[in-house]
Amino acid sequence: MALATTAKFEEFILEVEDDPTGAPGVYNALCGLIDVEVSRTANVDTAEVPDCDDESLPLSVERQVRSIEVTASGTGVWALQSNKAMSDWFYSSTTLNARIRNSYAQTNGASGDPYQEAGPALLTTLSNSRTKGQKVTAEIELQFDGTPTVTDVV
């Protein structure tokens, strides 16, 4: 029996290019997020196509991918280290470069394995909540503006 090779919690990372000095290419993990979910969706169009030789037959349903969208969401504690950057990002309504990185695949993957998805993203949800006796929590969602660029292990 061969067990699946898996990645650890800390090897699946959601990061945003938010260096306070404005230096490009400097990414930081979003501090405080305990749960991160990445959703990849293919938006599909359908068309009903008749059989030209026998129109009494049921129509054939054909599908084609119209677009691809990738979103990432996370929940956790509201880390003061991320307060300004997250608030600025949300209220500016601008894109920041974001990336989803599988560091295990980057260091241990075979050539051609994807290890990173990156591109401009909008912060579309920024929620906080409190419960007496608990830490303030956060819930975020970001949506990539276009299809992220996938980088493979070389």
Side-chain angles (χ1 to χ4, degrees):
M1 180 170 103
L3 295 177
T5 303
T6 60
K8 296 176 184 172
F9 171 87
E10 64 273 11
E11 294 172 328
F12 186 70
I13 307 156
L14 174 60
E15 300 172 306
V16 177
E17 187 179 43
D18 68 344
D19 182 52
T21 67
V26 177
Y27 286 82
N28 294 303
L30 296 175
C31 184
L33 295 181
I34 307 282
D35 299 307
V36 171
E37 179 179 333
V38 176
S39 180
R40 299 164 189 89
T41 304
N43 298 306
V44 177
D45 288 328
T46 60
E48 294 180 327
V49 180
D51 184 305
C52 292
D53 294 332
D54 186 352
E55 290 186 345
S56 68
L57 292 174
L59 299 174
S60 175
V61 177
E62 295 183 3
R63 292 179 169 81
Q64 183 172 344
V65 174
R66 177 176 24 93
S67 60
I68 292 175
E69 64 180 297
V70 178
T71 62
S73 59
T75 58
V77 296
W78 185 241
L80 293 179
Q81 295 92 325
S82 299
N83 184 44
K84 180 170 176 28
M86 297 301 284
S87 294
D88 287 352
W89 186 13
F90 181 80
Y91 285 109
S92 71
S93 301
T94 59
T95 61
L96 287 179
N97 289 323
R99 69 182 177 189
I100 302 153
R101 200 164 45 90
N102 181 344
S103 66
Y104 181 83
Q106 184 177 7
T107 56
N108 299 301
S111 179
D113 280 350
Y115 75 87
Q116 176 178 287
E117 299 162 79
L122 292 164
L123 181 60
T124 58
T125 300
L126 178 60
S127 301
N128 298 108
S129 61
R130 69 179 193 155
T131 301
K132 185 156 180 77
Q134 302 295 316
K135 300 291 183 185
V136 173
T137 61
E139 182 177 330
I140 67 157
E141 179 176 85
L142 59 91
Q143 297 179 1
F144 281 92
D145 182 17
T147 304
T149 301
V150 177
T151 305
D152 294 337
V153 174
V154 182

